[in-house]
Amino acid sequence: MDKFVIRGGTPLRGEIPTNGAKNSALPALAACLLTEEPVTLHRIPKVRDIATMVQLLHAIGVRIDKKAGPLRIQAQSIANPEAPYDLVKTMRASSLVLGPLVARTGRARVSLPGGCAIGARPINYHLAGLERLGAHIHQEAGYVEARAPEGLRGAAFTFDRVSVTGTEDLIMAAVLAKGETLLENAAREPEVSDLVELLIKMGASIEGAGTSRILIRGVDRLHGAEHAVIPDRIEAGTFLIAGAITGGDLVVTHCEPAHQAALISKLREAGAEVTNAGPGALRVRSDGLKSVDVITEEYPGFATDLQAQFMALMTRAQGIALITETIFENRFMHAPELMRMGANIRLEGRQAIVAGPSPLSGAAVLASDLRASASLVLGALVATGETVIDRVYHIDRGYEKIEEKLARAGADIRRVH
Ligand code: EPU
């Protein structure tokens, strides 16, 4: 199992590029199931979750050509509309194939994901929405089977609470349904809008992406298309925090500044200087940080996927920061590990009280999930001495070669096998 060995203390300088968004690439790959024609996707990041989705599409019977550069995906026929437990248990986003499979073939059998490190994360909204669209849902032996032999029918569905992949799954189910579907309290995340852009290129009729009310008019068939996914706002945000925590002067390139508004505002409040550095580039500088409170929210609020990284930042800020996690019920697994490095954090239910600044010192720590691992890397970048982070396969799920990118900006970080 790979580990990272990090020696902290170097301010990051120079440029770090952002990859395409993992959480846009995953639904885009699932969307390829909706047509028998080839779809070409650019900027798909080389991360483990994408490899898992590619494996899943292969198992379903899809042809994927990835010689150089873009991925070319063709779901000419669907041999096996099933997502097996072995793949779903390693990546919950596998349930994104549910909607497109039922829409295309009238049948899907997908393993139920079960709990994960950050919360229970059920898929009940996906199932309730599909039922509303006329699918028969049957659960047995840990699998959910959805059937709509006559095809899906458009309907209205309101999400009890905002769900990103739930919205994406139901949009993909509705694009080939008969008639209109209205999704209310839909997710407004940029990744949802990106998926809608791809589906429109494939011939779908969808209005309202980026708002909480999305109207889909079903069409008979979709066709091939070419699309580049948006930059990864969580990866870019992690690098912005890396620049700020190390007191560096860092330019994060190939990103979409408009998607970073909530983070930029919190970084500025904390005393970091964040400025535009040309198209798709942001520069961050800092010299002394003060504590600020953060509450995670759905987009355009502060992303839960940046909460762990921001907590690492707050361990180095002057004062008391109150961090409230509202999206997932168990997303503070990084806190005890940061405490092992010397952070002063108290957990009270869904709130973390971080008192700073704490001098962090290198320690052996354990990565528990994707974003928690990123926060440990950030802590290690400013800790005295050596930090060894175990189980970095978690970070490889969503960050492409993070150690190489950080090293190019001056970090002392290496991967050991
Ligand atoms: N929820 C339900 N029932 C459902 C669906 C969701 O109760 O059927 C609850 C969840 O348990 C959670 C809340 O609703 O408490 C929001 O969950 P959501 O469905 O929005 O999460 P997701 O779609 O499973 C995506 C990202 C996550 C990100 C969340 C929140 C992808 C592939 N994953 O997950 O990304 O944290 O939205 O923004 O898009 C990550 O990249 O590290 C990651 C975990």
Side-chain angles (χ1 to χ4, degrees), residues 101-117:
L101 283 177
V102 191
R104 170 92 182 269
T105 70
R107 192 170 82 81
R109 190 168 176 269
V110 171
S111 169
L112 284 165
C116 85

Side-chain angles (χ1 to χ4, degrees), residues 229-285:
V229 300
I230 55 172
D232 196 312
R233 65 194 165 98
I234 306 303
E235 189 198 21
T238 303
F239 294 142
L240 288 174
I241 298 174
I245 196 172
T246 60
D249 182 354
L250 190 67
V251 177
V252 179
T253 64
H254 299 83
C255 67
E256 175 47 82
H259 296 164
Q260 307 294 155
L263 174 65
I264 292 173
S265 135
K266 283 294 164 186
L267 284 172
R268 285 183 179 150
E269 220 184 297
E273 197 182 315
V274 186
T275 49
N276 275 318
L282 286 167
R283 178 177 186 184
V284 62
R285 277 170 289 185

Side-chain angles (χ1 to χ4, degrees), residues 22-23 121-125 163-165 305 327-328 371:
K22 163 184 83 83
N23 289 350
R121 305 184 72 183
I123 58 163
N124 53 318
Y125 305 152
S163 166
V164 178
T165 51
D305 289 345
I327 308 295
F328 293 111
R371 309 304 171 186

Side-chain angles (χ1 to χ4, degrees), residues 22-24 26-27 49 91-93 95-96 118-127 159 161-168 187 189 191 233-234 297-299 303-305 326-329 331 350 369-371 397-398:
K22 163 184 83 83
N23 289 350
S24 263
L26 289 169
D49 274 6
M91 189 188 63
R92 313 174 52 80
S95 50
L96 276 169
I118 61 175
R121 305 184 72 183
I123 58 163
N124 53 318
Y125 305 152
H126 305 230
L127 302 183
F159 288 90
R161 68 176 289 186
V162 173
S163 166
V164 178
T165 51
T167 302
E168 292 163 348
E189 268 66 5
E191 293 76 16
R233 65 194 165 98
I234 306 303
E297 281 168 357
E298 292 89 7
Y299 191 85
T304 172
D305 289 345
T326 71
I327 308 295
F328 293 111
E329 62 271 25
R331 211 175 196 180
R350 289 200 174 194
D369 75 71
L370 171 54
R371 309 304 171 186
R397 291 185 56 178

